[in-house]
Amino acid sequence: MILDADDTIEDRGGTFTDVWASIPGQPDIVTKLLSVDPENYSDAPSEGIRRILERVTGSTIPRKSPLPKEYIHSIRMGTTVATNALLERKGTRHAMFVTEGWKDFLEIGNQSRPKLFELGIKKPELLYDEIIEISERVTIEEFDEDPEKDKRPPKKEIPGVLVKGLTGELVRILKPLSDEEVKEKLLRLRENGFDALAVCFAHSYLFPEHEERVAQIASDLGFCHISLSYNVGSNMIKMVPRGSSASADAYLTPEIRRYVDGFAKGFEGESLDGITCEFMQSDGGLVNYKGFSGLKGILSGPAGGVVGYARTSYDGETPVVGFDMGGTSTDVSRFGGAFEHVFETVTAGVTIQSPQLDINTVAAGGGSILFWTNGLFKVGPESAGAHPGPAAYRKGGPLTVTDANLFLGRLIPSYFPAIFGPNEDQPLDSAIVAEKFTSLTAQINAETGRNMTPAEVANGFIDVANESMCRPIRALTEARGYETAAHNLGVFGGAGGQHACEIADKLGISRVILHKFSSILSAYGMALAEVVQEAQEPSSEELSPETFSHLQQRMEFLKTKVTESLLAQGVEMKSIGYEPYLNLRYQGTDTQFMIMEPEDGNYRAAFEKDHLRELSFIFPPERKVLVDDIRMRAVGKSEQVNHDNEKLTKEMKTTNFFTVSEKEAAHSPKAYFSPLGLQATPIFLLDKLAPGSTIPGPAIIIDNTQTIVVTPNSQARILTSHVIIDISDEKPKAAMEDQLKTVDPIKLSIFGHRFMSIAEQMGRTLQKTSLSLNIKERLDFSCAIFSPDGELVANAPHVPVHLGSMSYAVRYQRELHQGKLRPGDVLVSNHPEAGGTHLPDITVITPVFEKDDKTICFFTASRGHHMDIGGLDGTSMPPNSTELWQEGAAIKSFFLVRDGKFYEEEICKILTEPGERPGCTPSRRLGDNISDLKAQIAANSKGSSLIHALMDEYSKPVVHFYMAKIQENAEVAVRNYLKSTLEKFGPVALEAEDYLDNGSKLKVTITIKEDGSATFDFAGTSCEMLSNMNAPPAITYSALIYTLRLLIGSDIPLNQGCLAPATILLPKGTFLNPSSGPAVCCGNTLTSQRLVDLILKAFRAAAGSQGCMNCFGLFGRSGFDADGKPLPGFGYNYGETICGGEGAGPTWNGASGVHVHMTNTRTTDVELLEKRLPIILREFSIRRGSGGRGLYNGGDGVIRDWECRVPLTFSMISERRVHRPYGMYGGEDGECGANYWIQKTEDGWRWMSMGPRGQVDMGAGDRCVIHTPGGGGWGSVANGVNGHANGVNGHVNGNGHIHEVKEKPFYPRANGSLDAYATAQTESS
């Protein structure tokens, strides 16, 4: 035995720390211990090494004594230190320097709110303790949208004024950095005890000199840690994520250093000298412990798991979905031969710009808490963690997924580590679990009238947890253009084996692969990982033969840089391999693809192959491909080559399999499997099973660290290093009549997931098959399914103004064509009288027929925003429209497809007819229109096929039964809320009125009855307007369903049941129910906001929020013709909505600088704006004091200050510029907003108010300054003031505001590509 060659690999997870040790000549050692057990040890990894060394040496090593190094060759670790510090907000106190005008840039962030339905918005806590503006500013000289850009000679450098950036682009220094100012402000920070600093200046990704100079001065003044935004992460364009990353690095890396230093002191000599110690990084590569940083260690543990299954469970042909189910959460990922990375993610509410494996966390894990709420089974996202842990852990914890598995007989206490209790020697506590499930079952039966058994309840929670985990797996694969069922399921994590078969079965995956170390695969993966070093630089070049030589030169520079780093870590030159990448996109689009150098060197072909697979189209060859970033990944190839993948492939082909007799089982207890009930389930010990053993289900296979459940429709086969489980298509079914007798709350929860999953998959299909940027990239669409009578069943809640409104469009078509619809029909509509919101939102509707082709069983519908359907002055959203015909093509009902024919010529005629109107143009994007309409048809077709599959699985009567019951479930939740409101206020009408800035009145009277029904009467609302603020009835329905969901405050199904208790009276001829003639485009964006405030005011639920979306636009000239004359029209444009203040409430301060209610759009980053457009965004800050004061203060609005670098036309449509957002119960009103044109004159600046709306031509140097409204206050100031939290939890920060301390929200640890999709759709709303 060679004791001095011991390799120890550790992964410290949220619940358990896994340890794998390799000793030459001996079997590998595997052990687990609790990650947090303060009564017995302070650090789990050190304790794990101590236990391994005791086992290897046979000697006792007392706790807290130094660990001997003579027996250890190397240590590889994954740690949650950075993750936990971020999640728990326990990082290092630090200050931050930022460009003047931008001190609030991280507090505002991207201006969207974290949760769509939330009163009292809670924004993620800021990491820095103080932020200071520095008087420096640079910008990019040229702009991408310049129509004359290629006609002018290139500008030359002017030292100190115009200089070349990293990409070769010219940078204009508007305000040089002052060393004196920097030194003065740094000295003040040092006097206040700061020794950690983060720095983020605008455009430092391109021009880092100012940041570097600050770092030099700070270092000279004694700052111990300095994080510069341009070099801590990926150094990509976008100031907010880069600055957030710098702050996160300053917050986390000192914690990592303290942990590593403390870990090292636990060894002899208080150091790791003589031991190779490496840490796993989020990108799947190892780094020497001296170079390990907090920013790159956030996904340290999960990344090890991805490397583990990629190196052990991939057969070279079938891609693998990674399913890592641990104690706290479950991570899903994908491997198809190469690691997939993302470069901007959100972790614990903090945007991180750094390479990470594409890992996506779903809430459910072994420790996820089980809830019975609103008549539904709910699992997570809250977790019991390691302390107190599940109920069975003997620490007083709640019921969790682990407890459910234990109760069902799928976890065997005698085979589970006896590490519980005060002396760490007790088994799992089955008795308390049985007691808790019995009590919960009694509660459920009492509330539902059913007679469920505790086993059925426990199994129901398992089923709901499995379904919730399947939804993101489907999304992860299908969003990338892959079929879910065409994968194997690579299962790992301590709880993965208990759920593997049922997860695969739900996904249609036929094979599950578990490695022998699957329960500790994150640790084992680190043993198989390689040392990696990355470098990346921005680029602004076109991909072409002319530019490629320069790109290669830059790649060589990065190659030298990463090589030097690997050599410094002890990697030999001969072991280094390189992976060059170019980050590519088509000109005029935002969708980027990180392309690794192909074997033939043809980057464009590789880019177009990925583009076609994922997005279903490519542009013509003449469309330019741009290089946004150059990336070099150097890999120190491991000397220890793992052959598990090759072994897996070979053994599956050559092994002779045989069925194992049940007599060989250790014993055969009973376990519960639905719908069969308790079944004899033999237990086999994995180390006793010979390769070739075949075990039919039901069965349980156990080793020292994991339990693998083989379900009745599955069969396990044993290989030397793997367990392969094949899933049968045959499933036992419960009798249909039994399923229709009473509502099963388990199935109610499951069908809620399944219906929503259908709507989500429709959306993926629409995004994948569309062509326009607005749908494909901004994801401005919604998809939904409807009952046979047109009632909403499921609508993914991404675009609030679409909620509930589409059902009225479906019902209009159903009633119009009653009895005349045929299979294959597809209808299209957008008219306000036909259930539309505004004309650009076109709805495509498909009836779904039963197999007899006679009876409609469902409808599917998709609504997408078409950028151009004709209209006044070339836009479908004109700020000055007064008549509907000025806003483009209006369609009440048109058969887009009938009898297999797509009526392209006819729909094109409809879309071009607006050009015949005075001052209007036809649609100029017919290609996009047709492509997107076809994509909407494809989305509906996808929904139809999924509905048929669901009916095949459960039968139509069962599907319809639960469709109705889910609607009833939502109805009950709304009725209960209305009953509680009646009890609170008594039998009096709830009334509210408010005024738009043009003087028009909004009024509602709400009368609630004892049965929980209510009448919402809008009588008293003003007549329709000679403007575009008129709102079709669908807008009011959407505002009401949104507001009711907001007021209920908990997750309920969003369907027609939400409005079932409501009678809505909209007097004809008011601007909430206008005739067919008036313009409506801003009813969608502005009136909808005012409606939500009105209803909340009536319910006395919250003070008024900003009540506006602040619709802003700018337009640039088209250039000149050959004679030098200006071309007509606009050559480029940009539009956005701007955040403001949230109204305060009875227990909260309103959030500042955030979008509220019917929109949640994200703002475009300043660096992208200044690169694309001829503007300087001088300021984006919070209007301190603009929120109304009160017992609880209203949130503040913002200031957004644009400066023109060339003549531009600015457009603004806004509200709350005349009437202030109301306060409640004595709280003060919020401040009005204002829109200013600041004209540059010889004497300085001339300020002029633009009023609530208008369009102004501005000259170079002029500014457009927007002040958005604050929210109203709640309660009298005389009763005291509860600080000004502005929705950020925590402590006093650099703004001097006292932040409320509230319950910590749940944050997924890994938000990969799924989060990118979700946020993109959120920003489209």
Side-chain angles (χ1 to χ4, degrees), residues 346-577:
V346 178
T347 300
V350 178
T351 304
I352 302 297
Q353 193 186 74
S354 181
Q356 296 183 356
L357 290 172
D358 188 2
I359 301 170
N360 298 270
T361 296
V362 294
S368 292
I369 301 173
L370 311 182
F371 297 97
W372 166 253
T373 178
N374 289 326
L376 296 172
F377 282 57
K378 183 169 173 276
V379 180
E382 297 83 358
S383 174
H387 191 78
Y393 280 18
R394 299 179 181 271
K395 295 181 181 180
L399 284 176
T400 66
V401 171
T402 294
D403 296 310
N405 279 312
L406 176 66
F407 188 75
L408 295 173
R410 301 179 182 190
L411 272 181
I412 313 300
S414 58
Y415 291 96
F416 204 86
I419 55 175
F420 307 102
N423 298 319
E424 301 178 272
D425 58 359
Q426 296 291 303
L428 293 169
D429 189 344
S430 300
I432 190 63
V433 171
E435 179 184 322
K436 284 178 175 285
F437 268 115
T438 300
S439 174
L440 180 59
T441 302
Q443 178 190 348
I444 292 171
N445 287 338
E447 293 181 17
T448 63
R450 287 180 59 86
N451 190 27
M452 300 180 72
T453 67
E456 288 173 332
V457 169
N459 186 77
F461 280 111
I462 295 294
D463 205 12
V464 170
N466 289 341
E467 188 62 47
S468 69
M469 290 185 281
C470 286
R471 278 172 62 185
I473 293 175
R474 294 187 188 103
L476 178 70
T477 52
E478 292 173 10
R480 305 294 299 274
Y482 302 109
E483 184 181 350
T484 307
H487 292 70
N488 290 331
L489 190 67
V491 176
F492 54 109
Q498 298 155 43
H499 295 256
C501 291
E502 291 171 332
I503 291 287
D505 195 19
K506 285 179 178 290
L507 293 170
I509 291 175
S510 59
R511 176 164 291 175
V512 173
I513 301 174
L514 299 100
H515 189 264
K516 65 181 179 181
F517 293 136
S518 64
S519 69
I520 60 148
L521 201 61
S522 289
Y524 187 60
M526 295 170 199
L528 310 178
E530 296 161 324
V531 180
V532 170
Q533 191 67 40
E534 288 206 14
Q536 185 168 312
E537 284 188 352
S539 172
S540 61
E541 297 183 83
E542 177 189 347
L543 181 66
S544 67
E546 293 75 23
T547 63
F548 196 69
S549 60
H550 183 244
L551 290 171
Q552 286 182 313
Q553 290 176 16
R554 295 186 64 190
M555 285 183 187
E556 287 300 317
F557 170 76
L558 295 179
K559 188 174 182 179
T560 300
K561 187 176 179 180
V562 293
T563 301
E564 291 173 352
S565 179
L566 284 184
L567 293 173
Q569 294 183 58
V571 178
E572 295 184 3
M573 188 67 198
K574 64 180 182 180
S575 301
I576 300 177

Side-chain angles (χ1 to χ4, degrees), residues 1202-1255:
W1202 306 72
E1203 180 179 332
C1204 309
R1205 301 190 66 198
V1206 301
L1208 293 170
T1209 297
F1210 284 85
S1211 168
M1212 191 67 197
I1213 306 174
S1214 58
E1215 269 292 309
R1216 294 288 193 198
R1217 268 51 180 178
V1218 177
H1219 297 284
R1220 299 167 65 176
Y1222 61 85
M1224 289 285 283
Y1225 289 101
E1228 296 177 357
D1229 294 344
E1231 292 290 334
C1232 283
N1235 310 319
Y1236 297 107
W1237 173 15
I1238 305 179
Q1239 196 171 41
K1240 193 171 186 179
T1241 66
E1242 293 181 359
D1243 300 327
W1245 299 101
R1246 177 190 176 201
W1247 286 68
M1248 293 171 283
S1249 173
M1250 295 168 57
R1253 59 174 59 204
Q1255 189 164 303

Side-chain angles (χ1 to χ4, degrees), residues 787 790-794 804 807-808 811 963-976 978 1012-1013 1041 1044-1045 1048 1052-1062:
S787 67
E791 303 288 350
L792 177 65
V793 175
S807 62
Y808 297 92
R811 279 156 54 185
M963 173 194 73
K965 295 305 176 183
I966 286 173
Q967 291 174 329
E968 289 176 15
N969 179 265
E971 178 182 347
V972 168
V974 173
R975 285 186 184 274
N976 288 340
L978 292 172
S1013 63
I1041 196 173
L1044 288 171
R1045 168 63 181 83
I1048 289 168
I1052 62 169
L1054 286 166
N1055 56 47
Q1056 207 66 34
C1058 293
L1059 291 183

Side-chain angles (χ1 to χ4, degrees), residues 794-937:
N795 186 164
H798 293 127
V799 183
V801 80
H802 291 173
L803 287 174
S805 64
M806 264 202 289
S807 62
Y808 297 92
V810 174
R811 279 156 54 185
Y812 181 92
Q813 302 302 321
R814 173 186 173 275
E815 292 165 8
L816 182 66
H817 302 288
Q818 184 80 45
K820 300 176 184 177
L821 294 174
R822 306 198 287 261
D825 282 350
V826 179
L827 294 136
V828 64
S829 175
N830 70 343
H831 200 287
E833 286 193 335
T837 49
H838 62 178
L839 297 184
D841 283 346
I842 298 180
T843 306
V844 174
I845 300 163
T846 303
V848 182
F849 283 80
E850 294 184 32
K851 291 183 178 179
D852 63 4
D853 287 344
K854 297 178 181 178
T855 308
I856 294 175
C857 55
F858 278 90
F859 285 89
T860 57
S862 52
R863 176 171 285 175
H865 187 98
H866 291 241
M867 284 296 291
D868 191 352
I869 56 168
L872 189 66
D873 296 328
T875 173
S876 301
M877 291 278 293
N880 56 340
S881 58
T882 57
E883 302 291 336
L884 188 66
W885 59 262
Q886 296 171 322
E887 297 176 350
I891 310 166
K892 283 192 176 179
S893 182
F894 175 72
F895 280 97
L896 190 60
V897 178
R898 177 152 253 203
D899 297 328
K901 179 181 178 182
F902 178 76
Y903 286 89
E904 182 169 346
E905 183 178 339
E906 289 78 2
I907 193 66
C908 286
K909 184 175 185 297
I910 291 172
L911 292 169
T912 54
E913 281 176 352
E916 300 171 9
R917 299 276 192 168
C920 296
T921 62
S923 170
R924 293 162 297 176
R925 300 184 181 183
L926 283 175
D928 284 4
N929 294 138
I930 297 302
S931 173
D932 289 348
L933 288 170
K934 288 181 177 179
Q936 289 176 259
I937 294 171

